[in-house]
Amino acid sequence: MASTACFLHHHALSTTPTRASSSQRQLPSLRPSLLLCRAQKQASNDDDGAAVSRRLALTVLIGAAAVGTKVSPADAAFGEAANVFGKPKTNTDFLPYNGDGFKLLIPSKWNPSREREFPGQVLRYEDNFDSNSNVSVLILPTDKKSITEYGSPEEFLSKVDFLLGKQAFFGNANEGGFDDNVVATANILESSSTTIGGKPYYSITVLTRTADGDEGGKHQLINAVVSDGKLYICKAQAGDKRWFKGARKFVESAASSFSLA
């Protein structure tokens, strides 16, 4: 009867004595350990026991290979950070905010502000390092049943243009890129309408610029909806320079997350 046996042979360091000059040294011969598996014949009357032994040997080898190739939950794919503790990752860039009839996501590094820019303002958060990057929510009374009763998104914006700021200078001026006696301008970059939970929403993106060149202008995102005799407005903004240095992600995410609760 044949069986399989594995032996681990360790070769010790050996040297071969040779005659050499005094300038030469004897170097040891280093041989690696070898794992040898040999088939042997055993005198046994129990063939079933031998078969079990062979299967057991194969099982041990397969198990060892499986252990060697097991992937740890902490292993990361190329270009990704390793999840050392094996727990699901969560988005820590934003925190959920539930207000009176509305909800949105606030950038986690923005702080609440007591400044009240507009009538009906119930919330304002701003960037720790730059107050030009901020988000506000306004709740105003209205006799409209739907935001669409204000007309198109552009017509709606003309009725709430106080959100963009009013020009405070009304003297004679001739600034490059501006009309005569005008030191501020606003351009609608994008406008759209969508329906969430059966309610139509307006979304408008505006770039405002002033003659003093402050921040190169401001990107202002305005979302609005009407519900139960109230006009809900969310306005998020950032200066043009910071917009392209990472603020865009936080402003767009805050504005797009706004909805009725």
Side-chain angles (χ1 to χ4, degrees), residues 74-209:
D75 291 343
F78 179 78
E80 296 181 356
N83 186 3
V84 177
F85 300 103
K87 296 180 180 179
K89 295 181 180 180
T90 57
N91 186 354
T92 58
D93 290 336
F94 299 90
L95 297 174
Y97 183 96
N98 293 306
D100 183 14
F102 67 92
K103 60 183 179 181
L104 75 162
L105 296 177
I106 302 291
S108 58
K109 294 184 179 180
W110 289 16
N111 288 330
S113 170
R114 295 182 179 180
E115 182 179 352
R116 292 294 179 262
E117 293 182 275
F118 313 110
Q121 182 174 318
V122 297
L123 174 144
R124 175 186 163 94
Y125 274 73
E126 62 185 34
D127 190 335
N128 293 348
F129 303 102
D130 178 34
S131 61
N132 280 325
S133 299
N134 60 70
V135 59
S136 299
V137 174
L138 292 68
I139 303 178
L140 301 170
T142 181
D143 58 354
K144 309 296 184 185
K145 302 298 183 183
S146 171
I147 193 70
T148 58
E149 294 184 20
Y150 284 96
S152 65
E154 293 77 11
E155 291 173 328
F156 166 74
L157 182 61
S158 67
K159 295 178 175 64
V160 293
D161 59 355
F162 64 87
L163 295 172
L164 306 179
K166 293 289 187 178
Q167 178 173 311
F169 175 80
F170 293 98
N172 295 325
N174 187 8
E175 298 289 341
F178 294 86
D179 294 337
D180 291 342
N181 302 325
V182 174
V183 293
T185 183
N187 297 304
I188 297 177
L189 302 182
E190 184 180 359
S191 64
S192 63
S193 176
T194 186
T195 300
I196 302 175
K199 296 283 187 180
Y201 287 69
Y202 279 170
S203 298
I204 309 166
T205 301
V206 182
L207 176 62
T208 59
R209 295 188 300 118

